[in-house]
Amino acid sequence: EAGPAAPPADARPDPGPAVRQLLEEAGAIEPLKAVVVAHEGEVIAARGYRGATPDSPANIKSASKTVMSALVGIAIDKGVLEGADQPIAPLLRDRLPEDPDPRLQRITIGHLLSMQAGLERTSGRNYGAWVASRDWVRDALRRPFVDEPGGAMLYSTGSTHLLSAILTRESGRSTLELAREWLGPLDGFEITAWDRDPQGIHLGGNNMAMSTRSLLAFGELYRNGGVTPDGERLLSREWIEASWTPRTNSRFTGDGYGYGWFLRDLAGEPVRYAWGYGGQMLYVVPSLQLTVAMTSDETEASARTGHRDDLHRLMAEIIRAVRAPASRS
């Protein structure tokens, strides 16, 4: 005998009010500037704080590394690059140091994406000296090896900047031009500003400006398997799966890391997230068809202050609020 029929989709309890209440309370998280929440492809809550709005440009800092990963995936799909296993030394041969370490020949596109190049980091305490150099690409490549290519995760903006240099050279166009063309069909996505190095190469992995809504639109592309709401494919599903495959772990958090995406569980759900300095966050929860973008004051370190953990807790509460109506339906 057949059981009771499931209620139609439009009759399910709406998680929107509960999520909007959470965003109201989130105003107590002082560095927070804006949050946008999308469930099943629809924005169910959006809120700005302290004069900011979800449409205000924000510096997404290292969350731009995740955008760089998408551009690399599209470049591979278009034949601009061969694949994640392609060695980088032939692509940057005239920028290599004199008498280069033989291990430079073993670094691949994938190693740069997963932060496993083995080269000394240009982030953290080394960042200031790196961006003060005359040639950021040469400086990143001349760094000493502190691990083997493919070894431990060494989080370094220099690695993703090398990807920007490679894309610029192989395509003959700036990375910003590529982003605007390749991701332009994605409704709501817009990069409003992006820093360059002394040679004019856009900073692959930092100082990219976009609104919180734009960051959400980018996350929705991944949640939708690389297809826009209009049905246009911009990114292959295979690249998304490769990007969300854990390849190493952060020594700071223990979280997994793929190609530009961190991986962890929150509130019992597998979550993929991008993270930028100060608390620029993009969370994708495929199991719940949920995407959340958060932007914050970019002037203070979110890990050291505990702000990142506050945002993780807020995200866990959003997950529970979205999951609760589904469990009752």
Side-chain angles (χ1 to χ4, degrees):
E1 185 175 331
D10 58 2
R12 287 187 224 152
D14 177 14
V19 174
R20 288 190 286 274
Q21 180 60 37
L22 286 173
L23 298 199
E24 177 77 21
E25 296 166 0
I29 304 174
E30 217 164 273
L32 191 59
K33 291 167 70 173
V35 183
V36 185
V37 180
H39 181 230
E40 297 180 343
E42 299 291 333
V43 172
I44 61 170
R47 181 69 190 265
Y49 308 93
R50 288 164 282 280
T53 76
D55 299 300
S56 303
N59 185 345
I60 67 167
K61 304 297 282 187
S62 284
S64 58
K65 291 177 172 65
T66 314
V67 179
M68 278 301 310
S69 175
L71 296 179
V72 170
I74 297 171
I76 291 171
D77 292 341
K78 291 181 176 293
V80 176
L81 299 175
E82 293 173 7
D85 294 330
Q86 184 176 6
I88 69 163
L91 302 175
L92 297 170
R93 53 190 172 275
D94 62 335
R95 315 302 284 280
L96 299 177
E98 293 183 16
D99 191 23
D101 188 307
R103 286 174 287 187
L104 283 170
Q105 301 292 330
R106 291 162 43 199
I107 299 175
T108 65
I109 296 287
H111 290 149
L112 297 181
L113 287 164
S114 62
M115 300 293 174
Q116 294 176 285
L119 295 167
E120 179 184 67
R121 300 189 325 126
T122 61
S123 292
R125 64 184 181 183
N126 297 327
Y127 184 79
W130 176 57
V131 296
S133 70
R134 294 180 179 179
D135 189 322
W136 300 357
V137 173
R138 285 186 187 277
D139 189 272
L141 289 168
R142 71 161 182 80
R143 298 268 162 175
F145 278 87
V146 295
D147 201 347
E148 295 298 310
M153 181 180 181
L154 295 163
Y155 190 86
S156 178
T157 299
S159 288
T160 39
H161 188 61
L162 293 178
L163 293 171
S164 185
I166 288 167
L167 282 177
T168 300
R169 173 166 293 194
E170 293 302 296
S171 69
R173 303 171 65 195
S174 79
T175 339
L176 180 56
E177 288 177 314
L178 297 178
R180 286 175 171 167
E181 178 184 325
W182 292 350
L183 296 172
L186 183 59
D187 188 39
F189 178 84
E190 183 185 14
I191 298 171
T192 55
W194 193 0
D195 281 1
R196 296 177 181 237
D197 74 5
Q199 285 67 48
I201 298 167
H202 287 285
L203 176 46
N206 200 6
N207 292 352
M208 175 188 287
M210 68 171 66
S211 70
T212 315
R213 284 191 194 275
S214 176
L215 188 58
L216 181 97
F218 175 75
E220 278 284 273
L221 178 67
Y222 272 76
R223 187 195 65 78
N224 280 319
V227 178
T228 70
D230 295 331
E232 182 176 355
R233 177 163 296 283
L234 303 183
L235 189 62
S236 70
R237 186 176 293 276
E238 291 75 18
W239 185 254
I240 294 172
E241 291 173 358
S243 301
W244 286 350
T245 298
R247 300 170 190 281
T248 185
N249 293 86
S250 167
R251 64 188 176 96
F252 301 108
T253 66
D255 291 350
Y257 196 72
Y259 287 161
W261 288 88
F262 289 93
L263 312 160
R264 72 177 292 155
D265 284 357
L266 284 172
E269 300 290 340
V271 177
R272 295 89 166 102
Y273 74 96
W275 169 29
Y277 185 91
Q280 324 313 319
M281 313 298 294
L282 174 62
Y283 298 95
V284 180
V285 190
S287 58
L288 295 177
Q289 300 184 62
L290 176 65
T291 306
V292 179
M294 305 181 187
T295 54
S296 305
D297 181 348
E298 73 273 12
T299 61
E300 293 193 33
S302 60
R304 187 171 62 244
T305 63
H307 178 54
R308 180 203 58 208
D309 295 335
D310 288 341
L311 299 183
H312 281 345
R313 281 190 285 270
L314 172 59
M315 183 62 200
E317 291 172 354
I318 292 171
I319 287 172
R320 294 186 188 100
V322 167
R323 191 170 53 201
S327 65
R328 292 196 299 267
S329 62

